[in-house]
Amino acid sequence: MVSVCMAVFNGDQFLKRQLDSILVQLAKDDEIVIVDDASNDDTITVVESLHDSRIRIIRNAINIGPLKSFEKALAEA
């Protein structure tokens, strides 16, 4: 099983293309673990619109920065 980890913040503009590119390379048992760092754009909407069970999204209530968000994604993988 492969886990792709991502930390995102206000990434709605480019996120769909990035996720589409990753998803076609994953097997059915692989996953993408996304930690959203309290985005205030449509990041969550973009992720949810893909309706792919291989994507797990964790939402930070407050912005903790890219390093801690990525560490959180690694811990979830």
Side-chain angles (χ1 to χ4, degrees):
M1 181 176 164
V2 171
S3 293
V4 176
C5 297
M6 297 176 68
V8 298
F9 175 73
N10 290 346
D12 67 349
Q13 214 175 8
F14 306 103
L15 192 55
K16 183 177 182 329
R17 264 194 356 213
Q18 185 178 22
L19 290 172
D20 285 344
S21 174
I22 294 167
L23 287 166
V24 298
Q25 300 177 62
L26 296 180
K28 65 179 177 126
D29 293 330
D30 295 338
E31 68 176 354
I32 301 176
V33 179
I34 300 172
V35 175
D36 176 69
D37 200 16
S39 292
N40 54 25
D41 66 355
D42 288 328
T43 294
I44 298 296
T45 303
V46 169
V47 175
E48 290 175 344
S49 74
L50 295 173
H51 302 288
D52 195 305
S53 62
R54 296 172 293 176
I55 299 174
R56 284 197 297 136
I57 188 153
I58 295 100
R59 300 178 193 186
N60 291 340
I62 60 168
N63 187 286
I64 62 174
L67 182 59
K68 291 200 179 291
S69 291
F70 191 72
E71 287 174 348
K72 193 172 185 179
L74 288 174
E76 289 286 333

